[in-house]
Amino acid sequence: MFTLVQIPRSATSSTETSSLVADYVAFDRRRTSRRQYQKAFGGMAIVVLLGALLGRVAMAEAGVVIALLIAPVLALAIIESIQWQRLARHLDRVRAEVQNH
């Protein structure tokens, strides 16, 4: 778990900390909107899967539709992971910079 508590207060760290907080807030807003799409597309994929299991939808067509619905969910998850790693690297840079001063 990342925390800002480990960054001591100083003039340099104040600027860096505010930059880090701004980056995190932007990340969190994007994550919130991405999660809505992930839930919607994932939910539709589950509905199609249930329809296929109950015999309402042909299995061949269900497989194609499920793959098409899962693709955006996976793409958004990858994007979130990449952005999280960037945020973690930014936190590490801030920690290193503050500790060197």
Side-chain angles (χ1 to χ4, degrees), residues 36-58:
Q36 293 173 356
Y37 290 108
Q38 287 176 316
K39 288 177 186 177
F41 281 99
M44 287 187 280
I46 291 171
V47 168
V48 172
L49 177 63
L50 289 175
L53 292 175
L54 295 174
R56 301 279 186 182
V57 180

Side-chain angles (χ1 to χ4, degrees), residues 77-91:
I78 291 168
I79 290 169
E80 183 173 328
S81 174
I82 290 168
Q83 289 178 346
W84 179 253
Q85 289 173 356
R86 285 182 185 162
L87 187 63
R89 282 194 304 267
H90 186 185
L91 177 58

